[in-house]
Amino acid sequence: NHNHNHNNSNNKAINDYSLISNNNNNKGFDFEKSKELIWKEKLNSTPLSSTYTFSHHSIGIFEHTINCSMISIASCGYCDNSIHIWYHKSTKNSKSIPKPEHIVVYGPKDIVECLTYASEDMLVSGCRDSTISVWNINLNIGNLDYIRTLYGHEGSVCAISANSDLDICVSGSVIGDVLVHSLNHGDLIRVIELPVNSNNINRSKIDIVRISVLGNIFIFCKKI
C-alpha cells in the first residue's frame, strides 16, 4: 500500500510538472527545478495567496531567458548586457508572499544569451562574445559576485548547463561546438565533436545541453 500511494504522488507531480513545461516557452527554463518547486510547495501545504509580476524590464530585451533555483529566479537577454535575479529574503511567519528583492549586475561585455544554476549559490552565464562567466550568488547581502571566465568557444554561447558537485560546465554555441569546463579551475576539459550532416557540413547551433546527476551529458540540435 505504501508503494502504491507513493507512485500516485509521483504521477501527480509529473502531471503538474508537464503543465508548467507545456506552458513555458523560455528555452533556458530549468524544468527539473520547477518540479522541485512543486514538491516544495506541496510539502509546505500552504496555498499561495498572492503573486507578483517581475518588473525592471524597461530596457530592451534581445532574447529573454529565465532559470530558477529553489530560492531565486534569474533572467538574461537584456540589451544592456545585464543579469537580473529576484529572490525572497524570508517567507517565515508570513501568510502571503512578500515582494521579491531584486539584484542586477552588468559584468559581461556583451548580451548574455543563456544562464543556469550550478548550485543554489552559483550561477553560470553564456555570452554573445563567446565567453562564459561564473558567479557567486550572495543573497544575504544582495550581491552577484564575479568568480572567473571560461574560454574556448568560437561563437556566441547559446546553451549551457552546470553542476558544482560534479565540477562541470557544458556549453554549446551558435556554430555547433560543445565544450566541457571545470567550474572550480576554469580549465577546458574536453571538446565534444558532434556528427556532420550528409553534405559534410558542420551542424547548426546547439539548442539544449543538460547534465544529469550522474554526469551524463545530453545535447540537442534541431538540425544536423
Side-chain angles (χ1 to χ4, degrees), residues 8-217:
N8 287 341
S9 299
N10 281 342
N11 290 336
K12 183 62 170 61
I14 291 173
N15 290 335
D16 289 342
Y17 163 64
S18 64
L19 288 176
I20 286 184
S21 64
N22 290 336
N23 285 297
N24 181 73
N25 294 320
N26 293 298
K27 67 176 184 180
F29 198 84
D30 192 328
F31 296 133
E32 289 300 319
K33 288 296 185 182
S34 301
K35 186 166 63 174
E36 292 178 13
L37 287 171
I38 290 174
W39 274 109
K40 184 179 180 182
E41 180 57 34
K42 289 179 181 297
L43 292 174
N44 288 339
S45 300
T46 304
L48 298 178
S49 57
S50 59
T51 58
Y52 291 95
T53 299
F54 296 149
S55 56
H56 304 281
H57 292 170
S58 57
I59 47 90
I61 299 176
F62 170 74
E63 187 173 3
H64 196 56
T65 301
I66 66 172
N67 212 319
C68 64
S69 72
M70 292 292 286
I71 55 177
S72 63
I73 296 176
S75 69
C76 65
Y78 301 93
C79 293
D80 63 352
N81 309 339
S82 60
I83 296 173
H84 294 247
I85 292 181
W86 291 268
Y87 67 98
H88 294 295
K89 284 187 174 179
S90 175
T91 57
K92 293 181 179 179
N93 303 322
S94 176
K95 295 182 179 180
S96 62
I97 301 176
K99 185 176 180 180
E101 303 290 332
H102 178 241
I103 302 172
V104 58
V105 63
Y106 301 93
K109 297 179 180 179
D110 208 335
I111 292 175
V112 179
E113 298 272 7
C114 54
L115 48 73
T116 187
Y117 285 87
S119 65
E120 295 293 344
D121 57 2
M122 181 181 290
L123 190 72
V124 185
S125 60
C127 190
R128 188 186 285 185
D129 68 357
S130 75
T131 64
I132 299 167
S133 298
V134 183
W135 309 85
N136 178 63
I137 306 171
N138 190 337
L139 299 183
N140 292 326
I141 58 176
N143 274 357
L144 188 63
D145 301 316
Y146 168 80
I147 300 177
R148 66 178 52 87
T149 300
L150 311 180
Y151 299 95
H153 280 290
E154 297 181 1
S156 174
V157 182
C158 57
I160 197 163
S161 183
N163 187 312
S164 61
D165 291 334
L166 300 176
D167 184 27
I168 188 174
C169 172
V170 179
S171 54
S173 79
V174 295
I175 65 171
D177 55 336
V178 178
L179 305 183
V180 181
H181 284 90
S182 164
L183 283 172
N184 294 332
H185 305 286
D187 299 328
L188 177 60
I189 300 173
R190 183 179 178 185
V191 177
I192 299 178
E193 297 288 343
L194 300 184
V196 296
N197 62 21
S198 57
N199 296 322
N200 201 32
I201 300 175
N202 200 13
R203 60 263 143 214
S204 60
K205 81 167 190 174
I206 306 298
D207 293 288
I208 300 172
V209 294
R210 289 292 184 268
I211 308 169
S212 76
V213 294
L214 299 177
N216 298 314
I217 297 173

